[in-house]
Amino acid sequence: MNLLHVCCAPDLVSTVVKREELRQSELFFYNPNIFPGEEFLRRYDALRKVCEKTALDLPEQNHSPEDFSDILDSFGTENEGGTRCTKCIELRLRKTACLAKSIGSSSFSTTLLASPRKSIAQITLIGDKLAAEFDIEFISGNFRAERDKLRDLLKGVYRQNYCGCLPSKNEAIRNREINDLRDRERLDKDFKRFVDLWNFRGNVIPRSRIHLEEISDLKRIIAIVKPSALFDDIRDAELEDRRWLKTGSYNCRIIREKE
Ligand code: SF4
């Protein structure tokens, strides 16, 4: 039996969609990095929902932020992607490898391998090191499934917008503020007539609200506003058969039914 470390609900869904055989795993939700406690509960609740949808056994809820405090104290000022993240991933995988060994699992793995923000090579390096140390197999690979295949399973499921720890939360807030300011200024400058479209940032925007004919202009404004989806309520011939509007810097989903 494989012991599968679960970092979050969306990555679990991606993992079992991409690697069907991992559905047979026992799940282990160990993420002492998640801050604050309410966020941990939201992510656990999201996990409960996807376990129901996918008929997987819900792992125990067990939050132990004290396990992460040394890492936070030593590397809390680093940017995401540095030593803090290496230590954080190793902490979670070490606990998984240790538990896998003690319960007689033949292997261990992690849904972190489905995260588009994580390096598969780095996770594999850590996993292989622990595999040698604990004399147990580490299952690696690319667990990132196509987003279209996940949509139904993730409908109504909370998706976090930062990695997990306090510094990553602060960094995400800072980046969002910088991006909002930059895009708002571009909208004012390039599309003064359309400043009200800013209200659709992060929300579904109907095609009929964007009074622009040229597809190139449509792409430019979508890249600035960044809606969650473009609702093609006018059956624009330029959008026919497309599922995505690729702008170069931002890919926007095209929907034909109101969600
Ligand atoms: S950014 Fe993510 S991986 Fe890095 S330390 Fe924080 S929670 Fe862990």
Side-chain angles (χ1 to χ4, degrees):
M1 186 265 297
N2 177 58
L3 184 67
L4 180 63
H5 165 256
V6 178
C7 60
C8 64
D11 286 350
L12 172 62
V13 172
S14 177
T15 299
V16 296
V17 165
K18 185 79 186 281
R19 298 284 293 265
E20 173 74 24
E21 73 279 12
L22 292 176
R23 286 183 57 84
Q24 310 308 323
S25 306
E26 182 160 336
L27 306 185
F28 179 45
F29 188 63
Y30 175 68
N31 300 290
N33 50 318
I34 298 175
F35 175 91
E38 298 80 58
E39 176 70 14
F40 178 87
L41 294 176
R42 283 181 92 181
R43 295 189 192 191
Y44 187 75
D45 194 51
L47 182 62
R48 184 197 317 278
K49 282 188 185 150
V50 301
C51 282
E52 277 170 16
K53 287 183 181 206
T54 52
L56 291 167
D57 287 339
L58 179 70
E60 274 180 25
Q61 175 184 326
N62 162 23
H63 192 32
S64 47
E66 63 281 1
D67 291 1
F68 186 66
S69 43
D70 283 351
I71 295 174
L72 194 59
D73 290 347
S74 304
F75 305 102
T77 55
E78 283 196 357
N79 285 338
E80 192 171 333
T83 311
R84 186 180 75 243
C85 297
T86 308
K87 301 264 181 202
C88 174
I89 293 167
E90 178 162 352
L91 171 73
R92 290 182 278 170
L93 290 194
R94 177 171 291 280
K95 188 89 166 184
T96 310
C98 187
L99 177 62
K101 190 72 184 174
S102 71
I103 62 175
S105 301
S106 54
S107 58
F108 71 105
S109 188
T110 175
T111 62
L112 285 164
L113 290 161
S115 169
R117 295 174 61 92
K118 296 277 172 295
S119 157
I120 293 173
Q122 184 195 30
I123 296 165
T124 304
L125 206 65
I126 296 169
D128 285 346
K129 183 183 87 167
L130 294 167
E133 192 178 322
F134 286 87
D135 189 25
I136 185 170
E137 184 193 354
F138 176 64
I139 299 177
S140 185
N142 180 344
F143 296 172
R144 298 170 190 166
E146 287 169 39
R147 287 169 69 178
D148 281 355
K149 292 185 179 162
L150 308 178
R151 194 173 319 129
D152 286 347
L153 287 167
L154 292 178
K155 212 172 200 167
V157 173
Y158 168 67
R159 283 186 237 190
Q160 65 272 11
N161 55 17
Y162 65 98
C163 189
C165 61
L166 174 62
S168 70
K169 182 176 163 72
N170 291 338
E171 198 175 326
I173 292 170
R174 265 197 315 277
N175 288 341
R176 230 179 355 261
E177 286 171 353
I178 291 168
N179 291 341
D180 283 356
L181 191 67
R182 183 202 58 208
D183 287 344
R184 185 64 215 236
E185 282 175 1
R186 278 177 63 203
L187 190 64
D188 282 347
K189 183 168 166 283
D190 298 349
F191 294 97
K192 213 167 184 52
R193 281 189 303 132
F194 298 99
V195 285
D196 60 316
L197 296 185
W198 186 254
N199 295 327
F200 290 101
R201 190 168 180 87
N203 299 311
V204 175
I205 188 168
R207 175 66 183 90
S208 58
R209 288 294 305 268
I210 311 172
H211 303 289
L212 290 166
E213 295 294 325
E214 293 294 325
I215 188 87
S216 54
D217 288 335
L218 179 65
K219 283 183 179 181
R220 281 178 60 215
I221 205 159
I222 289 290
I224 293 172
V225 174
K226 297 185 177 61
S228 61
L230 174 63
F231 172 36
D232 185 14
D233 54 343
I234 59 168
R235 304 283 160 179
D236 185 337
E238 290 277 9
L239 302 179
E240 205 180 354
D241 297 332
R242 293 193 201 208
R243 287 187 302 164
W244 295 91
L245 187 66
K246 297 185 176 174
T247 71
S249 59
Y250 183 71
N251 292 339
C252 183
R253 199 158 51 92
I254 299 171
I255 57 174
R256 288 174 176 92
E257 302 291 330
K258 207 152 191 201
E259 290 184 334

